[in-house]
Amino acid sequence: NADAAVHQAKDDGRNNYAFYQPEQTHVIEQWVRLEPELRRALALDQFRVFYQPQLDAVSGKISGVEALLRWQHPTDGLMPPGMFLPIIEEIGLMNQVGDWVLEQACAQAAAWKKAGYPVFRIAVNIAGQQVLNHSLVTTVTELLSKYDIDPDQLELEIVENIVMKYDDAAQPVLNELRNLGVRLALDDFGTGYSSLSYLKMLPVQKVKIDQSLVRDIPDDPNDEAIAKAIIALSHSLNLSVCAEGVETEEQKAFLRNENCDQLQGYLISRPIPAAELTLWLDQHILDHP
Ligand code: C2E
Ligand code: MG
Ligand code: MG
Ligand code: MG
């Protein structure tokens, strides 16, 4: 993921959110250096939540935003989650940080509502450790009530290996969340095992096609075929489909033509801070009344 960060920083010249470019420091040295800093990051208010819009593929209107965590490191700059989330999980801070992200996202949803923006979904990524923690259901319930958010407006994104790894423990928590009326999306679909039986078994309403499958559309006929099949299968199970990593007009045209429901990717917008997304919204609403 350090690689990805370098890559992202390089082609990121046009905005101010270029990620920190790691030196060739050994991963372990990096880890040892960052761990004590991460333990203080929440108290020092160094985490940020960026938002990336998701569009309805037919109307072009905004259908939601995904909340994505960043760490504003005091000397190294803005860090992508791939560089520090594994450490957070390892040192047992995932629940605390995850709760913080959830609260930020709910507070932001309430702020947009108060400012009169049309209601769109807020998607938040949930780590395996959070699903295992029974207080997640309580936290979500409290946040929905505190910020007066319709449960249907909140979407939790889970990856399938959470369920594969924890299975018996995860299933009841997901069911409880679903019973609250919160929506569930299966993230990064098409990678790993992507077992069809999980799709049937999980109480999810949406599938997110992984960006690795979108990347080589239209050059790779296999990826096209897989993306097409995922869309058709999801629809036959009454699930909606969001494609991630949409970077080109060709990809957008292909996905729309295959009846993909939602589009997310740099073509539409990179993940940006809330204040900037608000400006993006103003412009987007003018363009798509
Ligand atoms: P994800 O949930 O699959 O999020 C999508 C990732 O793709 C984000 O990376 C986003 O910046 C990136 N992306 C979006 N559009 C494009 C595009 O057009 N091209 C390319 N190349 N990339 C695109 P990011 O922000 O670095 O996050 C990486 C992963 O970290 C996320 O993948 C998610 O699994 C995890 N993550 C992020 N925030 C949180 C969080 O608050 N909690 C948890 N548990 N995990 C999080
Ligand atoms: Mg996600
Ligand atoms: Mg994903
Ligand atoms: Mg991913």
Side-chain angles (χ1 to χ4, degrees):
N1 240 317
D3 240 346
V6 172
H7 198 79
Q8 195 147 11
K10 274 188 192 148
D11 58 48
D12 214 13
R14 59 205 175 86
N15 68 35
N16 299 319
Y17 306 113
F19 285 128
Y20 155 70
Q21 300 191 26
E23 308 285 318
Q24 291 301 349
T25 327
H26 197 270
V27 176
I28 292 175
E29 285 171 34
Q30 183 87 325
W31 188 297
V32 167
R33 184 172 70 91
L34 296 183
E35 190 202 304
E37 298 181 332
L38 272 171
R39 290 187 187 278
R40 293 191 300 266
L42 204 52
L44 294 177
D45 200 22
Q46 292 171 348
F47 289 120
R48 303 283 178 268
V49 177
F50 278 29
Y51 297 88
Q52 186 179 35
Q54 305 171 329
L55 299 189
D56 181 290
V58 177
S59 69
K61 290 183 181 175
I62 183 167
S63 60
V65 294
E66 178 174 3
L68 293 156
L69 181 64
R70 271 96 184 88
W71 180 18
Q72 187 65 60
H73 188 280
T75 55
D76 291 351
L78 194 66
M79 284 201 196
M83 289 185 65
F84 62 87
L85 267 187
I87 309 178
I88 298 253
E89 296 203 36
E90 184 64 29
I91 63 181
L93 289 181
M94 195 60 242
N95 282 305
Q96 245 179 295
V97 175
D99 284 355
W100 181 85
V101 174
L102 270 168
E103 174 138 26
Q104 294 295 305
C106 290
Q108 189 56 54
W112 277 318
K113 182 176 166 188
K114 193 170 170 222
Y117 288 98
V119 173
F120 46 81
R121 284 209 167 96
I122 308 278
V124 180
N125 294 284
I126 298 293
Q129 288 177 12
Q130 292 174 273
V131 174
L132 285 194
N133 180 358
H134 269 271
S135 76
L136 177 65
V137 180
T138 315
T139 303
V140 169
T141 310
E142 286 171 1
L143 288 174
L144 292 174
S145 136
K146 178 172 175 188
Y147 293 101
D148 191 23
I149 290 169
D150 182 349
D152 186 63
Q153 200 192 338
L154 181 64
E155 187 163 74
L156 303 180
E157 298 191 0
I158 54 166
V159 290
E160 135 194 84
N161 64 21
I162 290 180
V163 194
M164 295 187 49
K165 202 159 143 196
Y166 306 117
D167 207 358
D168 292 348
Q171 198 65 251
V173 179
L174 297 179
N175 287 332
E176 278 184 67
L177 288 168
R178 187 54 203 142
N179 289 338
L180 284 181
V182 165
R183 292 172 49 99
L184 299 174
L186 194 55
D187 206 350
D188 300 349
F189 196 77
T191 60
Y193 292 95
S194 298
S195 154
L196 300 183
S197 56
Y198 281 108
L199 255 195
K200 213 182 80 176
M201 181 179 92
L202 291 171
V204 299
Q205 290 76 52
K206 183 187 285 183
V207 167
K208 296 190 77 178
I209 304 181
D210 192 66
Q211 50 180 276
S212 63
L213 285 169
V214 175
R215 190 176 303 135
D216 294 326
I217 293 173
D219 300 325
D220 186 331
N222 290 328
D223 284 352
E224 283 197 354
I226 295 169
K228 256 168 112 152
I230 292 175
I231 296 167
L233 170 81
S234 303
H235 285 167
S236 70
L237 293 170
N238 280 318
L239 304 173
S240 70
V241 186
C242 176
E244 15 178 63
V246 180
E247 294 187 358
T248 68
E249 290 291 346
E250 288 83 358
Q251 291 164 349
K252 177 178 163 185
F254 172 86
L255 291 159
R256 288 184 64 171
N257 192 48
E258 296 304 329
N259 300 317
C260 185
D261 303 284
Q262 285 150 25
L263 308 171
Q264 178 181 354
Y266 295 170
L267 179 67
I268 296 143
S269 167
R270 287 179 180 258
I272 45 180
E276 205 168 311
L277 192 88
T278 305
L279 298 177
W280 182 93
L281 275 174
D282 291 337
Q283 187 57 48
H284 192 77
I285 290 167
L286 284 179
D287 294 344
H288 298 81

